[in-house]
Amino acid sequence: MTTKPNIGWPLLLAALCLGLVSSLLSYQAQTAGLCSTRVPAAGGTFAEGIVGAPQHLNPLLADANPVDREISSLLFDGLTRYDEDGRLVPALAESWRVSEDGRRVDFSLRDDAVWHDGEAVTAEDVVFSYGLLQDEAFPAPAGARTLWESVTISSTGELSVTFTLPESYSPFLEATTRGIVPAHILGDVSPARIPDHDFNQMPVGTGPFMVPAGENWQRTGRLRLVPTRDHWRQGVKLDAIEFRFYPDAERLLEAYTAGEIQAINSVPPSRFPEVATLPDTRLYTAPLPRYTQALFNLTDEGMGALRNRDVRHALAYALDRELLVDRALNGQGLVFDGPYPPTSWAYHPDALTIYPYRPLSATQTLENAGWTLPEGGMVREGETETLILRLLLVDEPQYRRVADELASQWAAVGVGVEINAEDAETFAAALGARDFDVALVEVAAPGDPDLYDFWSQEAIVRGQNYAGWNHRRASEALEQARQLWDVGERRRYYEAFLQYFSNDLPALTLYQHAYTYAVSESVNELEIGRIDHPRDRYETFPDWFLLYRDVAVACPEE
């Protein structure tokens, strides 16, 4: 019997192979005009290093710790906030209205504001939060308690809050920028026990970022924040920001150069030259609402020479402040005159007496004031004393460099300096006792330009007028301005105050502090503009990305 060969399967396989080849040839023909390109991909965590560590992620307890203030500002909102022009605008509030007598402020809250856990923000949260600052059992910052203890807080509806003041006081609105906390979580907790509550480690806020479940930054030394959908409704590409905490700038810089983090939260002036030379690094620098003054002691506890306005003018003309910034701060500072930084709406250069570097004017003014150089001497002498100033400062490297530069420049016109560098506690005590001739004082410029507690006559006794500047008209201008709510009306009084201040010169502003943020080139589409508050760094956060993916696109025609 002869068996016929089975040719079905070989024919089928051949047909399949022929089809596959045809398909591949067809695909090649169809894709011959396609190219591959890289596009931004979602995912990844942006790591930022910061010196220090949190203690309380709570806006009511954050004042004493810079890291707490930094991170809390990303997690919480107040009723109001400052915009890029230094004006108050709504945050959790929708609007507010001031009564005709200026003693009552009625706030209406947004009806779409929610906590990170989904609960609605209501007037109860506002009354509870600011009410804590009035409670003696709650460890509120001293300045905050002083303000709030005289304010009556009431709710007139689920989204309405009224603040009643003992008198018209426009700087009150700045207090409403402080973040509020949720009553539905902390309302049943004793005020005295809130600082120890778990909320301070795993907070629930309303800000653009939130702390995800399971974070344990006390153990890991890092805190992960994820963007909230309610704030970033346009969507973002990065999964999270992770703050990593370091004991000092040296360790932080080591982590950055090793590629452990993509950003340095704040570059100290002393490390600026080193960071500026690092490869693949971008630096963003912006003025801070902080400045350093040389405060003159005009009281009997200070050197008598300083009570002579001409001597104070001479000391100002003797200083090359631009050179001081370059030498002591590696150029990381901005020189300006007066007690208001240029970013304040009360800044008015036309009202100021300007003190440029004029060493010859300084020398002549000192001579005319009776301070002469003896034959072969280096320090000027008067009738009964030698012109040697006791310079008080906090014992920190940056301020020691500033003090050394001040001493060097004043020595050039025959003024001696005795540097007294003290720890923060001793420095504060010496200021209060007016145990100095000149003090280097760092001022955190308030958002509201009210300086009554710094320069009024009352502040000599019950305030921070450590210079003891006793000027009736300047004090009256400050008092009148704080009772008015209209910015235009207030500005006129501040212009008058500026004229008195800069002419009399109880203090000379040396420089405005500069903030420098360092970011790796590995972070794409990161652009940063003006930085007045920590949130400002992340204004363009939706554009940032770390990853790419490949996609096919039509090839460009040759």
Side-chain angles (χ1 to χ4, degrees), residues 403-418:
D404 289 340
E405 186 61 29
L406 282 177
S408 175
Q409 293 193 28
W410 277 338
V413 296
V415 177
V417 173
E418 174 189 298

Side-chain angles (χ1 to χ4, degrees), residues 99 101-107 134 147-154 156 161-168 172:
S99 63
D101 63 2
R103 294 184 56 245
R104 193 181 74 250
V105 187
D106 298 314
F107 276 89
Q134 300 174 319
L147 170 68
W148 284 102
E149 63 185 1
S150 61
V151 178
T152 300
I153 311 171
S154 59
T156 55
V161 179
T162 294
F163 301 102
T164 304
L165 314 178
E167 59 186 3
S168 182
F172 165 76

Side-chain angles (χ1 to χ4, degrees), residues 182-199:
H184 68 278
I185 295 178
L186 294 174
D188 294 331
V189 181
S190 166
R193 299 187 63 182
I194 287 179
D196 300 319
H197 196 274
D198 290 343
F199 176 87

Side-chain angles (χ1 to χ4, degrees), residues 46 55 108 111 117 133 140 150 161 172 212 222 316 320 341 390 395 412 415 417 439 442 496 550 558:
F46 173 77
Q55 296 176 2
S108 296
D111 60 7
D117 61 4
L133 299 176
S150 61
V161 179
F172 165 76
R222 57 184 66 182
D320 185 339
R390 296 170 298 154
D395 191 7
V415 177
V417 173
E442 183 176 321
D550 293 327
E558 296 185 2

Side-chain angles (χ1 to χ4, degrees), residues 41 55 103 208 216 304 330 333 339 342 502 514 520 533 538 545:
Q55 296 176 2
R103 294 184 56 245
N216 190 341
N330 288 310
S502 62
S520 167
H533 307 284
Y538 308 105
F545 69 96

